[in-house]
Amino acid sequence: VVTMFWSIYIYDRELVYPKLLDNFIPAWLNHGMHTTVLPFVLIEMRTTHHQYPSRSCGLAAVCTFAVGYILWVCWIHHVTGVWVYPLLEHLSPGVKIIFFAAVTVIINIFYLVGEVLNNYIWDTQK
């Protein structure tokens, strides 16, 4: 959430969070949704030892979630005719598929980084 949202926001905020939303959603709430996630993830990582499933099961779960979320975003567009993320309106169907695949790969990489960090922080031999 943090890396994807703010990267695109810095590039062109209209692609993920149109200026019009400032009239309805205060800045503090935007940060609550897109910024505070990171410190809470870091706090949880430092205070909670997670038992990861096998790598294949973990990655399968992450991919299942990603595909489910992508399908939900596409369903909302199908029903309303509006993309939840304005960025998607500017992409051709082929580029959307590439974008969704790339995002799924990135999410999997973050999962693997989380697993490595968890094992490093909670190494029982320390």
Side-chain angles (χ1 to χ4, degrees), residues 1-17:
V1 170
V2 177
T3 55
M4 290 295 293
F5 177 83
W6 288 111
S7 296
I8 297 170
Y9 185 97
I10 289 167
Y11 175 73
D12 182 356
R13 78 169 284 178
E14 293 296 318
L15 296 176
V16 289
Y17 195 80

Side-chain angles (χ1 to χ4, degrees), residues 38-50 118 122:
L38 181 61
F40 286 121
V41 165
L42 295 175
I43 290 167
E44 179 189 9
M45 182 177 282
R46 191 64 184 113
T47 59
T48 307
H49 177 224
H50 293 276
N118 182 70
W122 295 99

Side-chain angles (χ1 to χ4, degrees), residues 21-89:
L21 291 178
D22 291 343
N23 297 326
F24 308 102
I25 302 173
W28 65 267
L29 186 54
N30 179 25
H31 282 287
M33 293 184 297
H34 300 108
T35 307
T36 59
V37 176
L38 181 61
F40 286 121
V41 165
L42 295 175
I43 290 167
E44 179 189 9
M45 182 177 282
R46 191 64 184 113
T47 59
T48 307
H49 177 224
H50 293 276
Q51 292 290 348
Y52 277 76
S54 69
R55 185 159 289 165
S56 59
C57 286
L59 292 174
V62 171
C63 286
T64 300
F65 173 80
V67 169
Y69 188 78
I70 290 165
L71 290 174
W72 180 246
V73 167
C74 291
W75 176 254
I76 291 171
H77 176 262
H78 174 73
V79 171
T80 66
V82 176
W83 286 105
V84 176
Y85 303 106
L87 164 71
L88 297 172
E89 200 162 313

Side-chain angles (χ1 to χ4, degrees), residues 91-107:
L91 304 178
S92 68
V95 174
K96 276 186 190 81
I97 292 169
I98 293 168
F99 177 77
F100 289 144
V103 168
T104 301
V105 168
I106 291 168
I107 292 169

